[in-house]
């Protein structure tokens, strides 16, 4: 399987890093394209080919990821569609706010459309830990969707969903990784105020967050049920939680998530 990634910015570069770090695709079968030579150089000795020619990258992939800013998607797709094999190649568009109807307009060629998916990962895909949303959008088959899901699952966890849920998925997982980091920063700063050195506080909070996630994954517990396990009557945990709630913790999180889909 040959994979081409057009766009080596923050997200495109993260996808390439995940492909390299994983074992689902051989590094010699990865091609990366970007207009910036600087963006490409970090992959020069790690993949089969780097190029500033999107058309060359598009021709070489069984699966082609287009990972550019939303306002560039139309330009890139129109630039590669005449060299894209609609009968053989799969196209994955990674860009927020793009719709299936737009893709149909931009990609139509001689009455044909290529199998195309909308996809939203997060930057943890570079560490094989993404939460990724995949939407079968244009002329796709269940077998092709399963093939893509397996590829993306090798770099984290994937949900095949509907286009209407992509904005919610974006704010919950793609923006959400920033929200989690903001909590980490706040808790680390609190740790410094409590007397720990900054690096020690960060390590403590990161390990605690990791432990919380792994506990929930292993047990299947609802977060509130797991909280009940560590909140003894009159104890410090419930006092701390209640202080956070008095300050609007849950409400602030929900309002932040909802703001991301307005």
């Amino acid at each position: 399987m040959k994979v081409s990634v057009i766009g080596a910015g923050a997200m495109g570069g993260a996808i390439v890093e995940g492909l390299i770090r994983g074992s689902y695709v051989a590094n010699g079968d990865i091609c990366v394209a970007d207009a910036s030579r600087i963006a490409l150089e970090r992959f020069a000795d790690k993949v089969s080919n780097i190029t500033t020619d999107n058309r060359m990258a598009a021709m070489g992939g069984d699966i082609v990821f287009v990972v550019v800013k939303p306002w560039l998607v139309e330009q890139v797709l129109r630039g590669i569609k005449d060299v894209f094999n609609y009968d053989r190649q799969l196209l994955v568009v990674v860009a927020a706010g793009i719709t299936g109807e737009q893709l149909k307009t931009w990609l139509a060629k001689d009455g044909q459309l290529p199998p195309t998916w909308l996809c939203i990962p997060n930057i943890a895909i570079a560490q094989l830990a993404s939460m990724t949303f995949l939407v079968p959008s244009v002329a796709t088959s269940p077998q092709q969707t399963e093939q893509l899901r397996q590829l993306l699952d090798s770099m984290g966890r994937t949900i095949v969903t509907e286009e209407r849920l992509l904005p919610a998925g974006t704010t919950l997982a793609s923006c959400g990784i920033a929200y989690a980091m903001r909590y980490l920063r706040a808790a680390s700063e609190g740790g410094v105020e409590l007397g720990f050195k900054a690096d020690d506080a960060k390590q403590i909070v990161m390990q605690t967050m990791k432990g919380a996630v792994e506990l929930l994954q292993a047990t299947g517990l609802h977060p509130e049920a797991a909280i009940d396990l560590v909140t003894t009557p009159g104890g410090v945990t419930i006092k701390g939680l209640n202080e956070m709630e008095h300050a609007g913790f849950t409400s602030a999180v929900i309002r932040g998530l909802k703001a991301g889909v307005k």
Side-chain angles (χ1 to χ4, degrees), residues 174-222:
S174 189
C175 302
I177 200 167
Y179 304 154
M181 290 177 182
R182 181 56 61 88
Y183 167 79
L184 194 157
R185 189 192 78 175
S188 298
E189 290 176 355
V192 174
E193 192 166 331
L194 292 170
F196 287 102
K197 293 180 179 180
D199 284 345
D200 290 340
K202 184 182 75 170
Q203 293 299 325
I204 291 166
V205 177
M206 286 195 299
Q207 182 60 37
T208 302
M209 291 175 70
K210 181 181 179 182
V213 170
E214 292 189 357
L215 176 66
L216 293 178
Q217 287 178 332
T219 64
L221 284 170
H222 186 281

Side-chain angles (χ1 to χ4, degrees), residues 16-255:
V16 176
E17 289 176 18
L19 290 168
I20 293 168
R21 183 169 277 110
S23 57
Y24 200 87
V25 179
N27 291 3
D29 289 331
I30 301 169
C31 175
V32 188
D34 197 277
S36 167
R37 273 282 173 190
I38 295 174
L40 291 171
E41 284 304 320
R42 61 180 168 138
F43 302 119
D45 60 349
K46 298 176 181 177
V47 302
S48 65
N49 188 30
I50 60 171
T51 179
T52 56
D53 186 344
N54 291 344
R55 292 162 61 85
M56 181 181 295
M59 286 188 289
D62 300 309
I63 299 172
V64 178
F65 286 84
V66 171
V67 197
V68 296
K69 298 298 184 185
W71 56 87
L72 291 175
V73 173
E74 179 180 3
Q75 175 186 329
V76 171
L77 293 183
R78 290 190 185 278
I80 66 173
K81 74 176 185 179
D82 64 329
V83 299
F84 201 86
N85 187 324
Y86 283 24
D87 296 320
R88 181 183 64 80
Q89 294 176 282
L90 309 183
L91 178 64
V92 183
V93 176
V94 181
I98 300 301
T99 68
E101 288 304 311
Q102 287 175 308
L103 294 177
K104 289 177 183 177
T105 299
W106 300 336
L107 290 167
K109 180 176 70 174
D110 300 328
Q112 279 190 295
L113 291 166
T116 308
W117 290 256
L118 291 166
C119 178
I120 299 292
N122 64 35
I123 58 172
I125 198 167
Q127 304 301 321
L128 311 184
S130 177
M131 179 67 252
T132 300
F133 299 91
L134 181 66
V135 174
S137 185
V138 178
T140 65
S141 73
Q143 294 78 13
Q144 292 167 330
T145 297
E146 177 60 18
Q147 179 184 1
L148 278 177
R149 187 194 63 77
Q150 290 181 16
L151 170 62
L152 293 167
D153 270 354
S154 73
M155 298 181 285
R157 183 167 295 189
T158 308
I159 289 179
V160 178
T161 188
E162 306 168 52
E163 184 175 321
R164 67 180 181 86
L165 289 174
L166 269 190
T170 299
T171 193
L172 198 57
S174 189
C175 302
I177 200 167
Y179 304 154
M181 290 177 182
R182 181 56 61 88
Y183 167 79
L184 194 157
R185 189 192 78 175
S188 298
E189 290 176 355
V192 174
E193 192 166 331
L194 292 170
F196 287 102
K197 293 180 179 180
D199 284 345
D200 290 340
K202 184 182 75 170
Q203 293 299 325
I204 291 166
V205 177
M206 286 195 299
Q207 182 60 37
T208 302
M209 291 175 70
K210 181 181 179 182
V213 170
E214 292 189 357
L215 176 66
L216 293 178
Q217 287 178 332
T219 64
L221 284 170
H222 186 281
E224 203 60 37
I227 287 171
D228 288 343
L229 297 176
V230 294
T231 49
T232 55
V236 295
T237 304
I238 193 62
K239 290 178 181 177
L241 286 170
N242 285 341
E243 280 298 318
M244 293 180 189
E245 289 302 328
H246 291 326
F249 180 81
T250 297
S251 177
V253 170
I254 294 171
R255 288 176 63 186

